[in-house]
Amino acid sequence: MDRMRGTTYAGLTRVAVALYFVFIFFFFAVFNKFHLIYQEQTQLFLFDRNYFLGFLSKPGGLISYFGAFCTQFFAVSWLAALLVTGAVLAIYALVKLVVRSIGLRSAVWALVPAVLIVALQSSATYPLGNTLGFLIALAFIAAYMRIKPIRIRVGFGIAGLVLLYIACGGYWLVSASACFMHELLFRRSKFRFVIAGAYAVLAACAPYFAGRHFYAVGFAGSWTNPIPSVLPVPLGFELFFVLAYVPFLMAVAAIREAFPAKVKVAAHSEIGKNGILKAILSAVILVGLPAAAYDYKSECILGMDHYAQTEKWDRVLTFAKLYPGVNRLVTYYANLALSKTGRLGDEMFAYPQNGSAGLFLPCDAVPQDLFFGGDLSYHLSFVSAAYRFAFESMVVNGPTPRSLKRLTITSLINRDYPQAQKYLAVLGKTLLYRTWASRYSAFLDNKQEPFPDNELAEKRRFAVVSDFWLEDNLTVKHLDKLLQDHPDNKAALDYYLAYLLLDKDIDAFLTKLGLCAETKTALLPIHYQEAVLMYRYAYGGAGAEGFAIADQVNRRFKDFVRAISLHKHDNDKGASSMAAEFGSTYWYYLYFGSRIS
Amino acid sequence: MRGLSACTVIVALLFLSGCSDNETSAVSVDREPEISPDYAGVTIPPNIAPLNFSVLEKADAYVVKIHGPRGKAVSVSSKNGVVRIPLGKWKTLVSENRESDLSIDISTKQQGLWGRYRSIMVRIAAETIDPYLVYRLIEPGFVRWNTMGIYQRNLETFEEVPIALNELSGKNCMNCHSFRQNDPSTMLFHVRGQFAGTVIYRNAKLTKVNVAAGAMGPVVYPAWHPGGKYVAFSVNKIVQRFHSIPEKTIEVQDTLSDVVLYNVETDRVSSCSALSSGDRLETFPCWAPDGRRLYYCSAPVVSPDEYDKIRYDLLSIAFDPDKQEFGAVDTVVSSEKTGMSVSFPRISPDGRFALICMSQYGNFTIWHRESDLYLVNITTGQLSKPHINSPQSESYHSWSSNGRWIVFSSRRTDGRFTRPYIAYFDEQGTAHKPFVLPQEDPAFYSTFLKSYNLPELVTSRVRLTPRELGAVIRSKAENPTD
């Protein structure tokens, strides 16, 4: 009966673990999809000897290389989820082997590092190579502990640790400390102190020697590279636990072995007797930890970024609506998406705005801003700026598919074919972008005018003619200059007018609007009409003649004026009570600022 | 013309198809094959690494035979046109054929037929080149940088090792590495940012000092006095701006600059009125090999808006090293006469020539496509333009210790990424066709995204490691600023 119960329990555990890994797969495939896609976008794996050799200058270069190899497949979200889940599953299996060989039985013991890795991999900046480093270190430990003959084991241990150091860098310390503790705590050989001492000496000296003579790393880096020295706050703890876990388990197992009764009783009294409590606790840890590490806001932003790259502007706007709160990057992408879909003048106040600053992204703050912020200049046909920001991004963030593609395209637009050829040659060494490179390589041989690509031809048509200084960030001055060269640059005009609206400079807005011939003949975008009405209201109609206003907008404005007069003594109350009806109007923005702020 | 000759070749190949089944019975092709890098007609030092190259002619197989009047020929077969010449065989062949021409015979097989192109000739000079080249590898960015390092390349092999890496010192900027007359045991470079200072290696001692010229701030472009006791530095207040049009990229301009003299032994900075005048900009110091004249560039101060009107003259000033005193100023190249602006003067080791850059205006020639190298005969004052230039920027340059080789930065391959080119400079003062620094992988430069900055030839290996230098960089300067 007990045996049957045991079998059933084991079966249920297996099913639960399997379900858990299905959950992990969906966690990465659905909820962390854009984090993983972003990882692919921030690196560039090349099938190139020099690229490979570059990794060997540091300990652990091989796993970084292999990690980069795998990360290129993150461009396909289900494949990314599969790779991460596979790595986590392998870690679970290996920890289970280690756990069993030291006499611990519970599946939860084996799941803990897997869960921690899930939390770590939820970060867009945690490289897969690190997970693989830990995985290989675990595989080494599992193999080491199964070898019985002392000579073979120690030979395997020393030779393996050296190779492990070269391949996995800092993760070898997990293996070295496990070998050390294994010999000391679980082997009864009379040489165990000597062997353990040898491992301690190896761990202390080998990195020092290697760092001094072979690797271009600093003192600490000789031991720790490629383990990240700086991680976002919660992840630092998780990484520490991952690294310390196996030695910790060995210590626990050794204590249990030394004091079997006390520890077992304690374990029983806490969770052993109550299966439900144990299951609930496990579930809380297994689901709670990844949930705690999950960053929904970042996922939204990275989703917007992904769809902006793939020019699915409606999806960018969907994420802008989903994002909880206000974020400059969200506003930046939402405005870009509205401009690209021709809706900036109609819908910009339906999305959170934080003044004219929300139109531009500063490119001088953090490296990621350069990564995201160069897009606008390209869509404004400000090609020199787009080239510059892409180049700066490549310098600061390393070559990425995005920066190299942008550099290629801007170089082609500028007729700088030798430079375009260079970036295409690099992209030609990738797996995923060689087709793209091949397509654009055709333009190198085909220098005909007009350019045989509509988008690039348009950018060429709007090429900046008059020379002016380009500051670190895009500003309204640049928009003005772009429009001086090409008054028909619609994107630049949209942004210029949006800038004036957001800056609440209706005078300048109407002046600029009046200069555009078509604004007198066609019906204006809704926010422009709203601005005209507000101007007429404020100045009695002078100076804003000739613009057609839709009846509906006129009616709505009257309602707005009525509502405002009701709340003229209580601004806060007015803001909250009028938000639902007028929150997406320019008038509301003028009076109360952005609806969501 | 090329198309015509290619057609002729094809017709000839078809006609003779029955009698050409291996490269020994190949049909002659009456032109040189295209190879990359371009080594055709260059003069090389007898101690240079193999000139690995790619044959750009489409073919199914390639056979390359390299031979000279003496010694055993070297043959290399290739399926993809990439020709990697065995180092040992190359060294033997080249050393046996000093002052002779090497023939590079290239045969290609296409559709079962072999064709042999006209030989590419490479001249081997009698004089060796200094065996190490030191440069900084950095992306040619606008404002920002990330990782950079100063590296040394053994020119006799393909070995490249780092001397200093900014990853070991907080990713700070490090620049302006400089040697005393090609001597690797006397060098310096600057570190900016968190660990700012000047690292000096002299008399086998490594130190970090703050060298500043009062309110002008830290020193910039260095020139070691041949005696090793002084370093002339420029101090520059630099503004950097970015153009909006694709034809121009970056404008780097000095708003103030002087030249000062740093006594390494006393740790004192001094100058004279001629080198630190208020109405002129003085920069790019360079000593004559005897240490009795200091060459430098000088231009009147203009407002930043008139950046395209600044033109630098090349001047020289007498110097008495014993008294540490400057004397009279002489004009070597007048910008008024040439209508161009001088930068980066470097005097040949025999003191006969000054190699300079000239551009339409300004002094930061790397961002001036029109910048070319010019040669000034110091005795006659004659200015000439050697045939080593390109439509892209030629910029920083240096001489080998024997004066027979010059190495210079050029952006000729793609207009953006600087590569080191080496040219033979004969006794008559003629520079020969330059060649790019050979790499083991001939296609290396096509995907390498960093620039080779400030190539300097040195007579032997720099015996410093990144870790040693990292420790010095992170340490406090020996003479902390007030």
Side-chain angles (χ1 to χ4, degrees), chain A residues 58 218 222 363-364 384 387 392 395-396 422 467-468 470, chain B residues 143-144 146 165 167-168 242-244 416 419 445 448 467:
Chain A
K58 291 177 183 171
S222 304
C363 291
D364 54 357
S384 301
Y387 170 85
E392 296 271 51
V395 170
V396 175
K422 180 169 209 76
D467 194 10
F468 55 89
L470 166 62
Chain B
V143 179
R144 294 161 186 85
N146 189 4
L165 294 170
E167 282 184 285
L168 303 188
F242 311 98
H243 291 278
S244 60
R416 182 80 192 195
R419 306 295 181 225
Y445 294 116
F448 189 58
R467 197 175 263 207

PDB file of all heavy atoms in Angstrom, chain A residues 58 218 222 363-364 384 387 392 395-396 422 467-468 470, chain B residues 143-144 146 165 167-168 242-244 416 419 445 448 467:
ATOM      1  N   LYS A  58      38.712  36.324 -22.794  1.00  0.00           N
ATOM      2  CA  LYS A  58      38.273  36.361 -21.396  1.00  0.00           C
ATOM      3  C   LYS A  58      37.870  34.965 -20.946  1.00  0.00           C
ATOM      4  O   LYS A  58      37.374  34.182 -21.763  1.00  0.00           O
ATOM      5  CB  LYS A  58      37.086  37.305 -21.231  1.00  0.00           C
ATOM      6  CG  LYS A  58      37.466  38.753 -21.418  1.00  0.00           C
ATOM      7  CD  LYS A  58      36.269  39.638 -21.323  1.00  0.00           C
ATOM      8  CE  LYS A  58      36.692  41.064 -21.582  1.00  0.00           C
ATOM      9  NZ  LYS A  58      35.588  41.965 -21.713  1.00  0.00           N
ATOM     10  N   GLY A 218      40.614  42.161 -15.482  1.00  0.00           N
ATOM     11  CA  GLY A 218      41.142  42.665 -14.224  1.00  0.00           C
ATOM     12  C   GLY A 218      41.269  41.558 -13.193  1.00  0.00           C
ATOM     13  O   GLY A 218      40.939  40.399 -13.467  1.00  0.00           O
ATOM     14  N   SER A 222      39.204  37.858 -13.291  1.00  0.00           N
ATOM     15  CA  SER A 222      39.865  36.558 -13.508  1.00  0.00           C
ATOM     16  C   SER A 222      39.068  35.445 -12.848  1.00  0.00           C
ATOM     17  O   SER A 222      39.045  34.321 -13.322  1.00  0.00           O
ATOM     18  CB  SER A 222      41.268  36.552 -12.909  1.00  0.00           C
ATOM     19  OG  SER A 222      42.018  37.592 -13.428  1.00  0.00           O
ATOM     20  N   CYS A 363      18.998  61.471 -26.427  1.00  0.00           N
ATOM     21  CA  CYS A 363      19.951  60.438 -26.852  1.00  0.00           C
ATOM     22  C   CYS A 363      21.252  60.521 -26.078  1.00  0.00           C
ATOM     23  O   CYS A 363      22.242  59.903 -26.447  1.00  0.00           O
ATOM     24  CB  CYS A 363      20.205  60.569 -28.344  1.00  0.00           C
ATOM     25  SG  CYS A 363      18.762  60.122 -29.300  1.00  0.00           S
ATOM     26  N   ASP A 364      21.270  61.308 -25.027  1.00  0.00           N
ATOM     27  CA  ASP A 364      22.530  61.467 -24.305  1.00  0.00           C
ATOM     28  C   ASP A 364      22.435  61.004 -22.856  1.00  0.00           C
ATOM     29  O   ASP A 364      23.299  61.288 -22.047  1.00  0.00           O
ATOM     30  CB  ASP A 364      22.974  62.935 -24.350  1.00  0.00           C
ATOM     31  CG  ASP A 364      21.897  63.877 -23.846  1.00  0.00           C
ATOM     32  OD1 ASP A 364      20.796  63.390 -23.531  1.00  0.00           O
ATOM     33  OD2 ASP A 364      22.165  65.079 -23.776  1.00  0.00           O
ATOM     34  N   SER A 384      21.080  62.296 -41.713  1.00  0.00           N
ATOM     35  CA  SER A 384      22.372  62.449 -41.028  1.00  0.00           C
ATOM     36  C   SER A 384      22.226  62.151 -39.536  1.00  0.00           C
ATOM     37  O   SER A 384      23.100  61.523 -38.933  1.00  0.00           O
ATOM     38  CB  SER A 384      22.906  63.868 -41.184  1.00  0.00           C
ATOM     39  OG  SER A 384      23.050  64.157 -42.533  1.00  0.00           O
ATOM     40  N   TYR A 387      21.720  58.414 -39.060  1.00  0.00           N
ATOM     41  CA  TYR A 387      23.013  57.737 -39.203  1.00  0.00           C
ATOM     42  C   TYR A 387      23.836  57.919 -37.936  1.00  0.00           C
ATOM     43  O   TYR A 387      24.397  56.970 -37.398  1.00  0.00           O
ATOM     44  CB  TYR A 387      23.776  58.320 -40.401  1.00  0.00           C
ATOM     45  CG  TYR A 387      25.208  57.854 -40.487  1.00  0.00           C
ATOM     46  CD1 TYR A 387      25.514  56.655 -41.106  1.00  0.00           C
ATOM     47  CD2 TYR A 387      26.232  58.587 -39.916  1.00  0.00           C
ATOM     48  CE1 TYR A 387      26.822  56.205 -41.170  1.00  0.00           C
ATOM     49  CE2 TYR A 387      27.544  58.147 -39.964  1.00  0.00           C
ATOM     50  CZ  TYR A 387      27.828  56.961 -40.596  1.00  0.00           C
ATOM     51  OH  TYR A 387      29.131  56.515 -40.631  1.00  0.00           O
ATOM     52  N   GLU A 392      26.286  55.921 -33.044  1.00  0.00           N
ATOM     53  CA  GLU A 392      26.550  56.058 -31.604  1.00  0.00           C
ATOM     54  C   GLU A 392      26.010  54.842 -30.846  1.00  0.00           C
ATOM     55  O   GLU A 392      26.632  54.360 -29.907  1.00  0.00           O
ATOM     56  CB  GLU A 392      25.882  57.326 -31.069  1.00  0.00           C
ATOM     57  CG  GLU A 392      26.428  58.617 -31.646  1.00  0.00           C
ATOM     58  CD  GLU A 392      27.593  59.175 -30.862  1.00  0.00           C
ATOM     59  OE1 GLU A 392      28.548  58.432 -30.608  1.00  0.00           O
ATOM     60  OE2 GLU A 392      27.557  60.362 -30.513  1.00  0.00           O
ATOM     61  N   VAL A 395      28.366  52.074 -31.214  1.00  0.00           N
ATOM     62  CA  VAL A 395      29.560  52.257 -30.380  1.00  0.00           C
ATOM     63  C   VAL A 395      29.254  51.887 -28.933  1.00  0.00           C
ATOM     64  O   VAL A 395      29.984  51.134 -28.288  1.00  0.00           O
ATOM     65  CB  VAL A 395      30.051  53.727 -30.463  1.00  0.00           C
ATOM     66  CG1 VAL A 395      31.128  53.993 -29.422  1.00  0.00           C
ATOM     67  CG2 VAL A 395      30.575  54.027 -31.854  1.00  0.00           C
ATOM     68  N   VAL A 396      28.149  52.405 -28.442  1.00  0.00           N
ATOM     69  CA  VAL A 396      27.840  52.249 -27.019  1.00  0.00           C
ATOM     70  C   VAL A 396      27.302  50.860 -26.691  1.00  0.00           C
ATOM     71  O   VAL A 396      27.671  50.264 -25.682  1.00  0.00           O
ATOM     72  CB  VAL A 396      26.833  53.343 -26.578  1.00  0.00           C
ATOM     73  CG1 VAL A 396      26.395  53.131 -25.154  1.00  0.00           C
ATOM     74  CG2 VAL A 396      27.457  54.715 -26.729  1.00  0.00           C
ATOM     75  N   LYS A 422      30.159  47.798 -46.230  1.00  0.00           N
ATOM     76  CA  LYS A 422      30.810  47.286 -45.019  1.00  0.00           C
ATOM     77  C   LYS A 422      29.776  46.704 -44.051  1.00  0.00           C
ATOM     78  O   LYS A 422      29.921  45.593 -43.555  1.00  0.00           O
ATOM     79  CB  LYS A 422      31.570  48.434 -44.349  1.00  0.00           C
ATOM     80  CG  LYS A 422      32.272  48.013 -43.104  1.00  0.00           C
ATOM     81  CD  LYS A 422      33.197  49.080 -42.623  1.00  0.00           C
ATOM     82  CE  LYS A 422      34.334  48.476 -41.884  1.00  0.00           C
ATOM     83  NZ  LYS A 422      35.307  47.860 -42.775  1.00  0.00           N
ATOM     84  N   ASP A 467      23.260  73.230 -44.458  1.00  0.00           N
ATOM     85  CA  ASP A 467      24.049  72.694 -43.345  1.00  0.00           C
ATOM     86  C   ASP A 467      23.741  73.464 -42.065  1.00  0.00           C
ATOM     87  O   ASP A 467      23.724  74.686 -42.058  1.00  0.00           O
ATOM     88  CB  ASP A 467      25.543  72.823 -43.690  1.00  0.00           C
ATOM     89  CG  ASP A 467      26.405  71.985 -42.764  1.00  0.00           C
ATOM     90  OD1 ASP A 467      25.833  71.170 -42.008  1.00  0.00           O
ATOM     91  OD2 ASP A 467      27.626  72.142 -42.805  1.00  0.00           O
ATOM     92  N   PHE A 468      23.476  72.736 -41.027  1.00  0.00           N
ATOM     93  CA  PHE A 468      23.310  73.349 -39.702  1.00  0.00           C
ATOM     94  C   PHE A 468      23.870  72.380 -38.680  1.00  0.00           C
ATOM     95  O   PHE A 468      24.162  71.229 -38.996  1.00  0.00           O
ATOM     96  CB  PHE A 468      21.836  73.693 -39.424  1.00  0.00           C
ATOM     97  CG  PHE A 468      20.882  72.530 -39.574  1.00  0.00           C
ATOM     98  CD1 PHE A 468      20.595  71.691 -38.513  1.00  0.00           C
ATOM     99  CD2 PHE A 468      20.261  72.285 -40.799  1.00  0.00           C
ATOM    100  CE1 PHE A 468      19.722  70.630 -38.662  1.00  0.00           C
ATOM    101  CE2 PHE A 468      19.386  71.216 -40.947  1.00  0.00           C
ATOM    102  CZ  PHE A 468      19.114  70.392 -39.871  1.00  0.00           C
ATOM    103  N   LEU A 470      23.979  69.871 -35.705  1.00  0.00           N
ATOM    104  CA  LEU A 470      23.111  68.858 -35.111  1.00  0.00           C
ATOM    105  C   LEU A 470      23.562  68.636 -33.678  1.00  0.00           C
ATOM    106  O   LEU A 470      24.683  68.173 -33.443  1.00  0.00           O
ATOM    107  CB  LEU A 470      23.247  67.570 -35.928  1.00  0.00           C
ATOM    108  CG  LEU A 470      22.715  66.276 -35.349  1.00  0.00           C
ATOM    109  CD1 LEU A 470      21.228  66.369 -35.140  1.00  0.00           C
ATOM    110  CD2 LEU A 470      23.012  65.142 -36.318  1.00  0.00           C
TER     111      LEU A 470
ATOM    112  N   VAL B 143      30.658  61.185 -30.332  1.00  0.00           N
ATOM    113  CA  VAL B 143      30.972  61.693 -29.000  1.00  0.00           C
ATOM    114  C   VAL B 143      31.324  60.538 -28.074  1.00  0.00           C
ATOM    115  O   VAL B 143      32.263  60.606 -27.298  1.00  0.00           O
ATOM    116  CB  VAL B 143      29.749  62.439 -28.410  1.00  0.00           C
ATOM    117  CG1 VAL B 143      30.056  62.948 -27.009  1.00  0.00           C
ATOM    118  CG2 VAL B 143      29.352  63.603 -29.298  1.00  0.00           C
ATOM    119  N   ARG B 144      30.581  59.471 -28.193  1.00  0.00           N
ATOM    120  CA  ARG B 144      30.672  58.409 -27.199  1.00  0.00           C
ATOM    121  C   ARG B 144      31.702  57.357 -27.589  1.00  0.00           C
ATOM    122  O   ARG B 144      32.103  57.258 -28.738  1.00  0.00           O
ATOM    123  CB  ARG B 144      29.306  57.756 -27.024  1.00  0.00           C
ATOM    124  CG  ARG B 144      28.306  58.708 -26.414  1.00  0.00           C
ATOM    125  CD  ARG B 144      26.876  58.258 -26.662  1.00  0.00           C
ATOM    126  NE  ARG B 144      25.937  59.246 -26.194  1.00  0.00           N
ATOM    127  CZ  ARG B 144      25.554  60.292 -26.907  1.00  0.00           C
ATOM    128  NH1 ARG B 144      26.008  60.471 -28.122  1.00  0.00           N
ATOM    129  NH2 ARG B 144      24.701  61.175 -26.420  1.00  0.00           N
ATOM    130  N   ASN B 146      33.046  53.235 -26.078  1.00  0.00           N
ATOM    131  CA  ASN B 146      32.766  52.147 -25.150  1.00  0.00           C
ATOM    132  C   ASN B 146      34.099  51.493 -24.816  1.00  0.00           C
ATOM    133  O   ASN B 146      34.861  52.039 -24.046  1.00  0.00           O
ATOM    134  CB  ASN B 146      31.764  51.177 -25.788  1.00  0.00           C
ATOM    135  CG  ASN B 146      31.269  50.141 -24.819  1.00  0.00           C
ATOM    136  OD1 ASN B 146      31.607  50.160 -23.643  1.00  0.00           O
ATOM    137  ND2 ASN B 146      30.460  49.232 -25.283  1.00  0.00           N
ATOM    138  N   LEU B 165      44.052  48.476 -21.901  1.00  0.00           N
ATOM    139  CA  LEU B 165      42.635  48.286 -22.226  1.00  0.00           C
ATOM    140  C   LEU B 165      41.796  49.093 -21.254  1.00  0.00           C
ATOM    141  O   LEU B 165      41.996  49.001 -20.040  1.00  0.00           O
ATOM    142  CB  LEU B 165      42.258  46.797 -22.091  1.00  0.00           C
ATOM    143  CG  LEU B 165      42.915  45.834 -23.069  1.00  0.00           C
ATOM    144  CD1 LEU B 165      42.634  44.396 -22.654  1.00  0.00           C
ATOM    145  CD2 LEU B 165      42.418  46.074 -24.483  1.00  0.00           C
ATOM    146  N   GLU B 167      38.865  48.635 -20.449  1.00  0.00           N
ATOM    147  CA  GLU B 167      37.962  47.786 -19.658  1.00  0.00           C
ATOM    148  C   GLU B 167      38.535  47.517 -18.268  1.00  0.00           C
ATOM    149  O   GLU B 167      37.810  47.138 -17.353  1.00  0.00           O
ATOM    150  CB  GLU B 167      37.736  46.455 -20.370  1.00  0.00           C
ATOM    151  CG  GLU B 167      36.761  46.547 -21.517  1.00  0.00           C
ATOM    152  CD  GLU B 167      36.505  45.194 -22.122  1.00  0.00           C
ATOM    153  OE1 GLU B 167      37.389  44.691 -22.840  1.00  0.00           O
ATOM    154  OE2 GLU B 167      35.434  44.647 -21.885  1.00  0.00           O
ATOM    155  N   LEU B 168      39.834  47.705 -18.131  1.00  0.00           N
ATOM    156  CA  LEU B 168      40.459  47.456 -16.826  1.00  0.00           C
ATOM    157  C   LEU B 168      40.536  48.727 -15.988  1.00  0.00           C
ATOM    158  O   LEU B 168      41.110  48.721 -14.901  1.00  0.00           O
ATOM    159  CB  LEU B 168      41.870  46.874 -17.018  1.00  0.00           C
ATOM    160  CG  LEU B 168      41.947  45.583 -17.836  1.00  0.00           C
ATOM    161  CD1 LEU B 168      43.345  45.005 -17.803  1.00  0.00           C
ATOM    162  CD2 LEU B 168      40.958  44.565 -17.308  1.00  0.00           C
ATOM    163  N   PHE B 242      28.488  68.845 -35.079  1.00  0.00           N
ATOM    164  CA  PHE B 242      28.119  67.834 -36.071  1.00  0.00           C
ATOM    165  C   PHE B 242      27.301  68.457 -37.185  1.00  0.00           C
ATOM    166  O   PHE B 242      26.329  69.158 -36.934  1.00  0.00           O
ATOM    167  CB  PHE B 242      27.329  66.711 -35.399  1.00  0.00           C
ATOM    168  CG  PHE B 242      28.019  66.217 -34.171  1.00  0.00           C
ATOM    169  CD1 PHE B 242      27.645  66.677 -32.915  1.00  0.00           C
ATOM    170  CD2 PHE B 242      29.098  65.370 -34.266  1.00  0.00           C
ATOM    171  CE1 PHE B 242      28.325  66.269 -31.792  1.00  0.00           C
ATOM    172  CE2 PHE B 242      29.786  64.962 -33.140  1.00  0.00           C
ATOM    173  CZ  PHE B 242      29.396  65.414 -31.896  1.00  0.00           C
ATOM    174  N   HIS B 243      27.706  68.170 -38.406  1.00  0.00           N
ATOM    175  CA  HIS B 243      27.011  68.718 -39.562  1.00  0.00           C
ATOM    176  C   HIS B 243      25.718  67.951 -39.820  1.00  0.00           C
ATOM    177  O   HIS B 243      25.587  66.789 -39.454  1.00  0.00           O
ATOM    178  CB  HIS B 243      27.901  68.610 -40.801  1.00  0.00           C
ATOM    179  CG  HIS B 243      29.098  69.513 -40.763  1.00  0.00           C
ATOM    180  ND1 HIS B 243      29.033  70.841 -41.102  1.00  0.00           N
ATOM    181  CD2 HIS B 243      30.380  69.273 -40.415  1.00  0.00           C
ATOM    182  CE1 HIS B 243      30.244  71.384 -40.976  1.00  0.00           C
ATOM    183  NE2 HIS B 243      31.078  70.450 -40.557  1.00  0.00           N
ATOM    184  N   SER B 244      24.827  68.616 -40.526  1.00  0.00           N
ATOM    185  CA  SER B 244      23.553  67.959 -40.842  1.00  0.00           C
ATOM    186  C   SER B 244      23.561  67.381 -42.250  1.00  0.00           C
ATOM    187  O   SER B 244      22.660  66.644 -42.620  1.00  0.00           O
ATOM    188  CB  SER B 244      22.406  68.968 -40.724  1.00  0.00           C
ATOM    189  OG  SER B 244      22.621  70.028 -41.635  1.00  0.00           O
ATOM    190  N   ARG B 416      35.249  55.783 -43.721  1.00  0.00           N
ATOM    191  CA  ARG B 416      34.880  55.960 -42.320  1.00  0.00           C
ATOM    192  C   ARG B 416      35.891  55.308 -41.358  1.00  0.00           C
ATOM    193  O   ARG B 416      36.276  55.900 -40.363  1.00  0.00           O
ATOM    194  CB  ARG B 416      33.506  55.329 -42.092  1.00  0.00           C
ATOM    195  CG  ARG B 416      32.981  55.470 -40.693  1.00  0.00           C
ATOM    196  CD  ARG B 416      32.404  56.839 -40.491  1.00  0.00           C
ATOM    197  NE  ARG B 416      32.141  57.096 -39.092  1.00  0.00           N
ATOM    198  CZ  ARG B 416      31.388  58.089 -38.654  1.00  0.00           C
ATOM    199  NH1 ARG B 416      30.839  58.906 -39.500  1.00  0.00           N
ATOM    200  NH2 ARG B 416      31.209  58.276 -37.378  1.00  0.00           N
ATOM    201  N   ARG B 419      42.431  52.848 -41.544  1.00  0.00           N
ATOM    202  CA  ARG B 419      43.328  51.692 -41.638  1.00  0.00           C
ATOM    203  C   ARG B 419      44.766  52.171 -41.752  1.00  0.00           C
ATOM    204  O   ARG B 419      45.021  53.218 -42.374  1.00  0.00           O
ATOM    205  CB  ARG B 419      42.986  50.844 -42.875  1.00  0.00           C
ATOM    206  CG  ARG B 419      41.533  50.419 -42.959  1.00  0.00           C
ATOM    207  CD  ARG B 419      41.174  49.489 -41.834  1.00  0.00           C
ATOM    208  NE  ARG B 419      39.806  49.037 -41.865  1.00  0.00           N
ATOM    209  CZ  ARG B 419      39.012  49.002 -40.805  1.00  0.00           C
ATOM    210  NH1 ARG B 419      39.438  49.416 -39.622  1.00  0.00           N
ATOM    211  NH2 ARG B 419      37.787  48.538 -40.881  1.00  0.00           N
ATOM    212  N   TYR B 445      39.478  43.449 -42.899  1.00  0.00           N
ATOM    213  CA  TYR B 445      39.057  44.853 -42.821  1.00  0.00           C
ATOM    214  C   TYR B 445      37.611  45.061 -43.282  1.00  0.00           C
ATOM    215  O   TYR B 445      36.984  46.036 -42.889  1.00  0.00           O
ATOM    216  CB  TYR B 445      39.983  45.731 -43.662  1.00  0.00           C
ATOM    217  CG  TYR B 445      41.397  45.800 -43.135  1.00  0.00           C
ATOM    218  CD1 TYR B 445      42.459  45.310 -43.876  1.00  0.00           C
ATOM    219  CD2 TYR B 445      41.660  46.363 -41.898  1.00  0.00           C
ATOM    220  CE1 TYR B 445      43.758  45.367 -43.399  1.00  0.00           C
ATOM    221  CE2 TYR B 445      42.960  46.431 -41.401  1.00  0.00           C
ATOM    222  CZ  TYR B 445      44.004  45.927 -42.156  1.00  0.00           C
ATOM    223  OH  TYR B 445      45.289  45.984 -41.676  1.00  0.00           O
ATOM    224  N   PHE B 448      35.613  44.657 -40.056  1.00  0.00           N
ATOM    225  CA  PHE B 448      36.143  45.140 -38.775  1.00  0.00           C
ATOM    226  C   PHE B 448      35.626  46.555 -38.524  1.00  0.00           C
ATOM    227  O   PHE B 448      35.833  47.455 -39.353  1.00  0.00           O
ATOM    228  CB  PHE B 448      37.672  45.114 -38.808  1.00  0.00           C
ATOM    229  CG  PHE B 448      38.308  45.391 -37.469  1.00  0.00           C
ATOM    230  CD1 PHE B 448      38.027  44.599 -36.369  1.00  0.00           C
ATOM    231  CD2 PHE B 448      39.188  46.447 -37.311  1.00  0.00           C
ATOM    232  CE1 PHE B 448      38.613  44.849 -35.136  1.00  0.00           C
ATOM    233  CE2 PHE B 448      39.781  46.706 -36.087  1.00  0.00           C
ATOM    234  CZ  PHE B 448      39.489  45.904 -34.996  1.00  0.00           C
ATOM    235  N   ARG B 467      47.279  44.707 -17.564  1.00  0.00           N
ATOM    236  CA  ARG B 467      47.037  44.637 -16.124  1.00  0.00           C
ATOM    237  C   ARG B 467      47.945  45.607 -15.363  1.00  0.00           C
ATOM    238  O   ARG B 467      47.506  46.305 -14.452  1.00  0.00           O
ATOM    239  CB  ARG B 467      47.247  43.209 -15.639  1.00  0.00           C
ATOM    240  CG  ARG B 467      46.635  42.968 -14.295  1.00  0.00           C
ATOM    241  CD  ARG B 467      46.760  41.544 -13.895  1.00  0.00           C
ATOM    242  NE  ARG B 467      45.543  40.824 -14.198  1.00  0.00           N
ATOM    243  CZ  ARG B 467      45.156  39.741 -13.535  1.00  0.00           C
ATOM    244  NH1 ARG B 467      45.896  39.244 -12.581  1.00  0.00           N
ATOM    245  NH2 ARG B 467      44.043  39.148 -13.841  1.00  0.00           N
TER     246      ARG B 467
END
